[in-house]
């Protein structure tokens, strides 16, 4: 057995056809099953797409009814766009964007079949879906009237930058490829936060930023199109050099995302992301813990504090959410009361990783010793103090009222985040409620609602008794 | 994690990577086959840089690491036929290898119904239904029974005789004594 001659090798298309044919033999799906799936997809598309079209149409009928006024909403929109793009960029980098499942790696990618032919269909699909999706979103945002109403230019700009972004990320997947796309996500988020911070500061100082006088979308489109063409050309040339290391890196996250979606259990994804984050950190400086009056609790508390300091990302999100509340006061002042509770819930949740780990691991709880109550309290101190601090930091935006209601709201938000963090591992049995709308798996719903249920109660309290 | 490692492996020889848990044996193999990127260093195959994106390199290198996965809806024999097809190999090798590895009774089974030992045999079989010059195996003896280990030792000796270079990590002293021409110890002071 010697190395194969290239002439005898199948093309990527032939490989796919082979697999498809073999798989078809094992699936007993009738034409009716396929048509049912197609019908369901079409139905969802028509219902939600129709609702979107109707609402946009209503808006176009009443262009004077734009909900936004003044320059601040524009700048907040820019900030949201930048931060959102940065987060999407990071997510795409985490999964590739080009990736291959472990089975594809072992039985397909590892063979001498042409790498470009293998990757090109998914590259084209990725570029097209991203640019078309972004173009539609940009057109819809444009007609909402945040700035000049230019849906065509906005769609072109968003589509071009979307395609350029995907192409750049693909180029960065090659060994020795572009390095800047690896940093771009963080830069976008940073600039977005900077814009929001500057606008908020200017607003509170009484010197609001003016909206740019010129139409931005045409300028963005005219720079975006050549950039897009250039990036696509580079990416196309890079495809044969995207290696197994790059293709396998994202598969783990993509598989976890799919499992978390199918099993309705976000911890399946967050667990994988945690492991990746800490693997990236690698080593830390170990230091001894100090004893104290309640030795075990005191040591647990020190460990919890140390873990928080090793998660600068969580601290940054915690601070960013405070800034988001200030930005909300400029866009939708009437929503600040409820927004403070929602953002506070997320901020508190960011500091509860210790509790989440503890709740998901009976082995760890046994190893730590002491009562479960003692362990939970030790891990709640830092997040609770963090929440009080967050509440104080957002007082200028949310209002200062040191009364019983305020204390109840803070305790309620911490309690809701605590309930969510101490959610036991999902179980999929339990009772099902038969309703006129179909069967509802009540136990599953109750598990998913653990945390948000209490938050809902706190929001109702705020709406009923808040000023 | 790994630093200052250098070795060469001639055709027809077996080099075994040894070291305690966490020494970096799997990481070393992954870097060599291109499944991970090393921070620095170079791997040469027949005097040329080993670049996993080169189809000739993929044609020459048969690899079974610990992260092998399967298509849930393809049978044992279909997996092997697929690989033989994609490498331009001879389909007759598939039947030969299935029989040799004792997978005959499981040939039409889907991966989910296989025991861990059978899955390991299928992963190993993937290396032998295709042409190869370099065989890279990460603890191939794992989950194999006594007969399976005997088969593995015999197979590796056959590979040597056929001129294939074999690079493997292993914790099995008996297997190592039988097949190893050279040893590379890592992770020990």
């Amino acid at each position: 057995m010697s190395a194969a001659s290239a002439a005898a090798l199948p093309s990527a298309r032939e490989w796919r056809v082979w697999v498809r044919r073999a798989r078809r033999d094992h699936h007993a799906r009738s034409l009716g099953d396929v048509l049912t799936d197609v019908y369901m997809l079409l139905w969802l598309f028509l219902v939600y797409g129709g609702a979107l079209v109707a609402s946009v149409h209503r808006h176009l009928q009443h262009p004077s009814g734009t909900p936004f006024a003044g320059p601040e909403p524009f700048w907040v929109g820019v900030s949201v766009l930048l931060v959102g793009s940065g987060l999407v960029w990071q997510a795409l980098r985490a999964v590739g964007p080009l990736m291959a499942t472990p089975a594809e790696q072992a039985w397909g990618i590892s063979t001498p079949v042409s790498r470009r032919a293998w990757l090109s269909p998914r590259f084209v699909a990725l570029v097209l879906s991203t640019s078309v999706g972004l173009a539609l979103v940009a057109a819809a945002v444009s007609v909402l009237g945040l700035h000049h109403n230019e849906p065509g230019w906005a769609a072109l700009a968003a589509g071009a930058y979307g395609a350029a972004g995907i192409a750049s990320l693909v180029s960065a997947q090659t060994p020795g490829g572009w390095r800047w796309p690896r940093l771009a996500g963080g830069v976008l988020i940073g600039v977005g936060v900077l814009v929001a911070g500057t606008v908020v500061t200017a607003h509170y100082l009484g010197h609001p930023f003016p909206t740019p006088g010129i139409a931005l979308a045409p300028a963005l489109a005219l720079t975006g199109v050549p950039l897009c063409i250039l990036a696509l050309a580079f990416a196309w040339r890079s495809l044969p050099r995207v290696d197994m290391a790059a293709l396998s890196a994202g598969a783990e996250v993509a598989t976890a995302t799919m499992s978390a979606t199918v099993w309705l259990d976000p911890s399946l994804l967050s667990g994988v992301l945690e492991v990746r984050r800490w693997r990236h950190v690698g080593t830390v400086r170990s230091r001894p813990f100090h004893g104290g009056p309640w030795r075990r609790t005191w040591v647990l508390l020190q460990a919890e504090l140390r873990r928080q300091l090793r998660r600068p990302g969580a601290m940054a999100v915690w601070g960013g959410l405070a800034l988001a509340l200030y930005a909300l006061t400029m866009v939708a002042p009437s929503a600040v009361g409820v927004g403070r509770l929602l953002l506070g819930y997320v901020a508190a949740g960011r500091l509860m990783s210790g509790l989440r780990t503890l709740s998901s691991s009976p082995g760890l709880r046994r190893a730590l010793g002491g009562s479960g109550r003692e362990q939970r309290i030790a891990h709640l101190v830092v997040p609770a103090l963090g929440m009080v601090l967050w509440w104080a930091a957002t007082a200028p935006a949310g209002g200062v009222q040191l009364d019983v209601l305020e204390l109840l709201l803070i305790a309620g938000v911490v309690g809701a985040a605590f309930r969510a963090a101490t959610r036991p591992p999902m179980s999929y049995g339990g009772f099902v409620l038969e309703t006129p709308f179909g069967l509802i798996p009540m136990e599953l719903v109750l598990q998913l609602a653990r945390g948000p249920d209490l938050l809902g109660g706190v929001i109702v309290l705020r709406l009923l008794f808040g000023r | 994690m790994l630093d200052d490692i250098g070795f060469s492996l001639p055709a027809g020889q077996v080099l075994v990577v040894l070291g305690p848990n966490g020494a970096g044996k799997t990481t070393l193999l992954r870097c060599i086959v291109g499944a991970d990127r090393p921070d620095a260093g170079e791997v040469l195959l027949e005097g040329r840089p080993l670049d996993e994106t080169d189809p000739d390199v993929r044609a020459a290198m048969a690899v079974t690491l610990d992260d092998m996965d399967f298509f849930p809806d393809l049978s044992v024999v279909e997996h092997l036929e697929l690989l033989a097809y994609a490498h331009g190999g001879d389909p007759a090798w598939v039947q030969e290898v299935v029989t040799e590895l004792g997978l005959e009774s499981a040939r039409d089974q889907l991966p989910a119904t296989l025991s861990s030992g059978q899955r390991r045999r299928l992963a190993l079989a993937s290396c032998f239904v295709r042409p190869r010059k370099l065989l890279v195996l990460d603890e191939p003896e794992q989950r194999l029974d006594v007969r399976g280990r005997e088969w593995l030792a015999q197979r590796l000796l056959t590979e040597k005789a056929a001129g294939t270079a074999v690079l493997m990590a292993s914790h099995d002293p008996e297997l190592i004594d039988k097949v190893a021409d050279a040893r590379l110890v890592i992770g020990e002071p």
Side-chain angles (χ1 to χ4, degrees):
Chain A
M1 299 182 193
S2 59
S5 63
L9 297 177
S11 67
R13 188 172 169 276
E14 285 167 331
W15 187 95
R16 274 191 282 268
V17 169
W18 196 102
V19 171
R20 216 174 293 139
R21 201 183 53 236
R23 283 174 149 175
R24 215 172 19 232
D25 293 343
H26 302 304
H27 288 288
R29 290 186 80 206
S30 66
L31 183 64
D33 294 337
V34 176
L35 289 176
T36 306
D37 287 353
V38 171
Y39 167 76
M40 285 302 293
L41 280 174
L42 273 178
W43 186 79
L44 287 171
F45 180 77
L46 286 175
V47 167
Y48 290 106
L52 182 69
V53 169
S55 63
V56 170
H57 182 71
R58 260 200 311 277
H59 179 81
L60 288 174
Q61 294 297 308
H62 304 283
S64 59
T66 176
F68 308 118
E72 283 95 348
F74 169 80
W75 288 111
V76 171
V78 169
S79 165
V80 169
L81 182 72
L82 287 168
V83 173
S85 306
L87 291 174
V88 171
W89 190 276
Q90 305 276 49
L92 283 169
R93 282 233 338 111
V95 294
L98 288 179
M99 58 109 189
T101 65
E104 284 174 333
Q105 291 163 34
W107 305 93
I109 302 274
S110 66
T111 68
V113 170
S114 159
R115 185 65 51 94
R116 173 182 278 150
W118 185 280
L119 295 175
S120 54
R122 54 188 77 181
F123 172 66
V124 171
L126 198 58
V127 168
L128 283 179
S129 56
T130 306
S131 52
V132 170
L134 283 177
L136 288 174
V137 171
V141 169
S142 178
V143 296
L144 281 174
L146 270 176
H147 194 224
H148 293 75
N149 193 336
E150 305 143 330
W153 283 113
L156 184 62
Y161 275 99
I166 291 289
S168 307
L169 283 167
V170 168
S171 297
Q173 282 189 278
T174 58
W178 290 346
R179 288 195 68 79
W180 68 263
R182 297 167 203 190
L183 309 170
V187 171
L188 282 169
I189 294 171
V191 173
V193 169
L194 193 68
V195 168
T198 310
V199 171
V200 165
T201 310
H203 172 81
Y204 277 86
L205 290 175
H207 302 291
F209 268 37
T211 312
I214 56 158
L216 288 178
L220 286 173
L222 291 174
T223 51
V225 170
L227 191 72
C228 166
I229 293 168
L230 202 66
L232 284 173
F234 269 111
W236 186 256
R237 279 184 51 194
S238 302
L239 280 183
R241 291 185 291 113
V242 176
D243 63 359
M244 184 77 90
L247 292 170
S248 61
E252 192 185 20
V253 177
T255 309
T257 307
M258 204 175 288
S259 304
T261 310
V262 170
W263 293 101
L264 297 172
D265 188 355
S267 67
L268 295 175
L269 174 62
S270 59
V272 169
L273 294 177
E274 278 280 282
V275 170
R276 273 169 71 107
R277 185 182 302 131
W278 294 120
R279 203 185 290 153
H280 182 70
V281 171
T283 52
V284 293
R285 196 163 67 87
S286 306
R287 283 166 290 144
F289 293 110
H290 304 290
W294 302 284
R295 190 174 160 72
R296 192 200 330 263
T297 310
W298 178 231
V299 169
L300 286 176
L301 197 59
Q302 288 174 66
E304 170 71 358
L305 194 62
R306 204 172 285 181
R307 282 199 302 272
Q308 298 289 357
L309 294 173
R310 285 176 185 163
R311 305 168 64 92
M315 309 284 269
V317 171
W318 181 87
L321 288 166
L323 184 61
L325 188 73
Y326 282 96
L328 193 64
T329 60
M330 297 184 291
V331 181
S334 59
V336 167
V338 174
R340 192 181 191 189
L341 298 173
L342 290 170
L343 294 173
Y345 171 74
V346 180
R350 288 299 81 207
L351 303 181
M352 290 200 177
S353 66
L355 269 172
R356 276 194 290 274
T357 309
L358 202 66
S359 304
S360 63
S361 172
L364 184 61
R365 291 199 298 274
R366 273 197 305 275
L368 285 176
S371 70
R373 191 160 163 267
E374 183 193 359
Q375 291 174 359
R376 285 193 295 273
I377 288 173
H379 287 85
L380 183 61
V381 173
V382 175
L385 285 175
M387 187 63 232
V388 172
L389 213 62
W390 190 90
W391 202 265
T394 55
V400 189
Q401 298 155 16
L402 271 179
D403 53 14
V404 177
L405 177 67
E406 197 80 348
L407 295 176
L408 276 176
L409 294 180
I410 297 173
V413 170
V414 174
F418 175 80
R419 268 178 69 74
T422 53
R423 185 184 292 159
M426 294 286 279
S427 79
Y428 298 93
F431 65 99
V432 175
L433 196 67
E434 196 171 343
T435 71
F437 307 104
L439 296 173
I440 299 177
M442 282 309 294
E443 195 151 321
L444 200 61
V445 171
L446 289 174
Q447 288 177 77
L448 290 171
R450 191 186 154 101
D453 53 359
L454 181 55
L455 182 68
V458 176
I459 290 173
V460 170
L461 194 70
R462 169 72 178 73
L463 291 173
L464 288 177
F465 301 106
R467 279 167 289 183
Chain B
M1 190 176 186
L2 293 168
D3 194 23
D4 193 23
I5 291 182
F7 63 90
S8 62
L9 173 59
Q13 291 218 351
V14 176
L15 186 144
V16 182
V17 183
L18 301 168
N21 292 337
K25 299 185 292 296
T26 300
T27 305
L28 175 64
L29 296 187
R30 291 182 65 83
C31 288
I32 287 170
V33 303
D36 278 337
R37 288 183 198 153
D39 294 326
E42 194 176 34
V43 181
L44 303 176
L45 180 66
E46 294 181 322
R48 287 185 4 203
L50 191 153
D51 177 4
E52 184 274 328
T53 62
D54 180 351
D56 290 338
V57 168
R58 296 202 295 275
M61 196 168 59
V63 180
T64 293
L65 302 180
D66 59 352
D67 59 353
M68 189 86 167
D69 208 346
F70 308 95
F71 291 108
D73 45 6
L74 291 187
S75 69
V76 165
V77 79
E78 281 169 342
H79 272 95
L80 298 176
E81 281 175 0
L82 173 63
L83 209 65
Y85 172 66
H87 277 276
D90 185 346
W93 297 346
V94 172
Q95 186 51 48
E96 203 179 293
V97 170
V98 164
T99 309
E100 193 183 324
L101 267 160
L103 286 169
E104 192 60 55
S105 60
R107 55 175 287 127
D108 294 324
Q109 282 182 231
L110 295 173
T113 67
L114 299 176
S115 70
S116 62
Q118 286 174 315
R119 288 164 76 92
R120 188 61 175 171
R121 282 166 189 253
L122 175 54
L124 289 172
S126 72
C127 291
F128 302 120
V129 295
R130 42 154 299 174
R132 58 203 166 276
K133 291 178 181 173
L134 171 64
L135 189 56
V136 182
L137 305 170
D138 188 9
E139 299 183 21
E141 74 277 5
Q142 288 290 315
R143 301 188 204 97
L144 291 184
D145 55 22
V146 176
R147 282 185 62 189
R149 289 184 184 214
E150 282 170 7
W151 164 82
L152 179 64
Q154 196 51 50
R155 182 75 212 206
L156 291 177
L157 291 173
T158 311
E159 290 294 315
K160 276 170 65 170
T164 308
V166 182
L167 174 64
M168 58 186 257
S170 177
H171 284 295
D172 184 344
E174 204 176 322
L175 176 68
I176 296 167
D177 287 343
K178 274 185 191 165
V179 303
D181 296 298
R183 292 168 168 81
L184 173 71
V185 182
I186 61 172
E188 283 184 354

